[in-house]
Amino acid sequence: MNLFENKIDCCGCWACVNICPRKAIVMLEDEEGFFYPKIDEEKCINCDLCKKVCFYKNGYANIADHVESKQVYALKHRNLRVRQESQSGGAFTALSDIILDNEGVVYGVGFAENFTVLHKRAVTKITRDEFRGSKYIQSRVGEILKNVKDDLDADKLVMFTGTPCQVEGLKQYLGSHKKIANLYLVDLICYNSSSPKIWKEYLSFLEQRDSENIVSVKFRDKKFGWRTCIETIQYKKNIRNYDNFARLFGSRLIARPSCYSCKFTNTNRCSDITIGDYWGIEKSIPNFEDSLGVSLVLINTSRGIELFEKIKESIEYISVSLDSALQPALKANQSMPINRQKFWEDYQAKGIEYVIKKYNDHGLRGKIKSYLKKSNRILRWWSFFKNSK
């Protein structure tokens, strides 16, 4: 038995799994590598908690302290090393430092074995640092929502960071929890959540092709500039750079089906604070632009204001208008590519190497090929012109 009729009606937030009192729900991987809930009817007691916790069925959870006029900032951490190791301006580190300095707990996204992307719990800055940086894969939330509840029950200060649908899933799971005042919610400006299966297959393909084991990965390496999407793959003996997965991510061909009808591509956020890259800063406030990156921060609630006030000593910031800071992911859904079905048919039939080559010719490798072809044509034309004199 399923909780949904169409896959576009499930974002994979895991709230239903966490709330089930009989552990009658498991998340099963589909042919595209995304996880969906499945109910074991023999264990189910028809309590309907799984349906009540689903915001696709019941709408958003209310946020009582939403500010009437959203505060929006461009932000840079004062510590250059923090910015170098962060994906944009270091907003996540500044916010989470406050929590950890007060013996709290930070939840974010890191890696497990074989670079599986999942939500983790951190009580130290060393562990928290793993959560920095972009990870374009949909993370496995697992039963981490129960851990959040346990920490709140233990009177701990908690900060949970994730995509908007993951944050909303946690809110629905906690409901009117009496210790909710100790929780700070931070959501990311999300463009889509990509297939964990394609990610796993991609890394496996690189290891086989290059005959080396991968020891670390960066989705966007700042040594190429914070605007670039160049992957750095570190092997035991070598370091190589690609843009294959980044191109697939940008194409939206490997996004979860629900991403094409996302409920959060607007400024009506579900969190206390929204953070992301400040794309377009070179146009809106060029004097604040920085090669190490700048964060865009939206303060959505009075609790968000309270937390932001505590980080001001560690950051440089400028107040900006919401209109000047709007990005595509804050304005409208991105449509499903017309060739998405063909992509997955090609992948199932011919594998990861084939689809990388077929669908990424417009990427870095394709641009180099195009440049070389153009250069060769110019040389041939010049040779013909010279010899015809």
Side-chain angles (χ1 to χ4, degrees):
M1 183 168 63
N2 291 323
L3 286 172
F4 53 89
E5 294 182 4
N6 193 309
K7 286 183 177 179
I8 65 170
D9 296 324
C10 176
C11 65
C13 70
W14 294 71
C16 56
V17 174
N18 281 262
I19 206 167
C20 180
R22 298 296 297 271
K23 295 187 176 181
I25 303 176
V26 294
M27 297 292 276
L28 300 179
E29 185 179 2
D30 74 349
E31 65 280 359
E32 295 182 356
F34 297 108
F35 286 86
Y36 294 89
K38 184 77 173 180
I39 299 175
D40 184 337
E41 296 186 43
E42 293 185 1
K43 293 182 179 179
C44 181
I45 57 174
N46 297 312
C47 65
D48 283 343
L49 288 177
C50 57
K51 296 178 182 177
K52 294 175 182 178
V53 81
C54 179
F55 64 84
Y56 273 83
K57 297 182 181 298
N58 301 299
Y60 298 153
N62 291 325
I63 298 182
D65 63 343
H66 254 148
V67 292
E68 290 186 10
S69 180
K70 195 180 298 290
Q71 297 182 18
V72 185
Y73 299 98
L75 178 154
K76 295 186 289 190
H77 204 288
R78 293 186 185 276
N79 188 316
L80 294 181
R81 184 177 177 182
V82 168
R83 273 200 284 155
Q84 183 64 52
E85 295 175 353
S86 302
Q87 199 60 77
S88 48
F92 168 74
T93 299
L95 293 168
S96 55
D97 274 348
I98 296 298
I99 306 300
L100 295 173
D101 288 344
N102 286 277
E103 300 183 349
V105 183
V106 174
Y107 288 88
V109 176
F111 291 117
E113 187 178 0
N114 298 322
F115 301 102
T116 298
V117 178
L118 77 168
H119 260 79
K120 289 185 171 183
R121 179 180 184 270
V123 294
T124 68
K125 293 181 180 180
I126 293 176
T127 305
R128 179 279 317 275
D129 287 351
E130 184 187 348
F131 305 162
R132 292 168 170 166
S134 297
K135 300 172 185 71
Y136 296 129
I137 320 303
Q138 180 161 46
S139 66
R140 294 191 192 186
V141 175
E143 295 192 354
I144 212 79
L145 306 188
K146 293 180 180 178
N147 298 143
V148 174
K149 184 176 183 298
D150 290 342
D151 284 331
L152 292 174
D153 286 337
D155 289 320
K156 293 183 180 295
L157 199 62
V158 177
M159 175 175 140
F160 181 90
T161 307
T163 62
C165 55
Q166 291 170 338
V167 170
E168 183 67 21
L170 173 62
K171 285 168 52 185
Q172 297 279 352
Y173 168 74
L174 292 173
S176 57
H177 191 277
K178 60 184 179 181
K179 302 291 181 66
I180 203 75
N182 286 343
L183 175 65
Y184 291 94
L185 298 170
V186 178
D187 78 309
L188 309 172
I189 300 174
C190 177
Y191 281 78
N192 70 68
S193 292
S194 293
S195 166
K197 185 174 185 177
I198 294 294
W199 172 240
K200 181 180 178 180
E201 292 275 350
Y202 174 56
L203 295 183
S204 179
F205 159 68
L206 291 180
E207 287 187 328
Q208 291 178 22
R209 187 191 66 182
D210 298 334
S211 300
E212 288 190 84
N213 292 327
I214 296 172
V215 297
S216 71
V217 298
K218 285 184 180 179
F219 284 85
R220 284 167 52 201
D221 195 332
K222 273 192 175 177
K223 71 182 180 182
F224 298 103
W226 77 284
R227 288 186 178 84
T228 61
C229 292
I230 305 298
E231 307 140 19
T232 292
I233 307 295
Q234 182 174 343
Y235 299 86
K236 286 187 176 180
K237 297 182 180 179
N238 297 291
I239 297 177
R240 294 184 172 89
N241 300 108
Y242 307 100
D243 70 345
N244 294 316
F245 193 84
R247 294 288 173 179
L248 287 178
F249 167 79
S251 73
R252 308 190 311 280
L253 290 167
I254 58 174
R256 188 180 180 99
S258 61
C259 292
Y260 305 115
S261 57
C262 178
K263 298 178 181 294
F264 301 99
T265 49
N266 51 60
T267 57
N268 182 27
R269 312 305 288 184
C270 58
S271 65
D272 297 303
I273 297 179
T274 299
I275 60 175
D277 295 282
Y278 198 137
W279 301 125
I281 189 172
E282 69 280 2
K283 298 178 181 178
S284 58
I285 42 174
N287 61 320
F288 199 69
E289 183 183 9
D290 194 295
S291 61
L292 285 180
V294 181
S295 296
L296 175 62
V297 179
L298 280 61
I299 311 298
N300 307 312
T301 68
S302 58
R303 289 180 52 71
I305 294 174
E306 168 195 322
L307 183 58
F308 190 78
E309 287 294 323
K310 295 178 181 179
I311 70 170
K312 285 186 174 180
E313 291 185 1
S314 65
I315 62 172
E316 298 176 53
Y317 63 97
I318 293 179
S319 178
V320 299
S321 69
L322 180 59
D323 288 343
S324 69
L326 287 180
Q327 304 175 10
L330 294 173
K331 294 192 288 186
N333 287 318
Q334 298 186 57
S335 60
M336 181 183 295
I338 58 174
N339 57 340
R340 186 183 190 278
Q341 182 176 347
K342 178 59 178 172
F343 169 88
W344 284 102
E345 289 174 354
D346 285 342
Y347 167 72
Q348 299 295 343
K350 301 178 181 179
I352 187 70
E353 184 175 4
Y354 177 83
V355 293
I356 286 175
K357 184 176 181 180
K358 178 177 178 179
Y359 294 90
N360 277 359
D361 273 349
H362 62 288
L364 181 62
R365 187 175 301 173
K367 289 179 179 179
I368 292 173
K369 287 180 179 179
S370 177
Y371 172 78
L372 292 175
K373 286 179 180 179
K374 186 176 181 180
S375 298
N376 286 334
R377 284 197 299 269
I378 292 172
L379 288 173
R380 287 196 300 270
W381 177 85
W382 174 250
S383 178
F384 172 80
F385 176 77
K386 185 177 181 180
N387 293 331
S388 65
K389 287 184 176 182

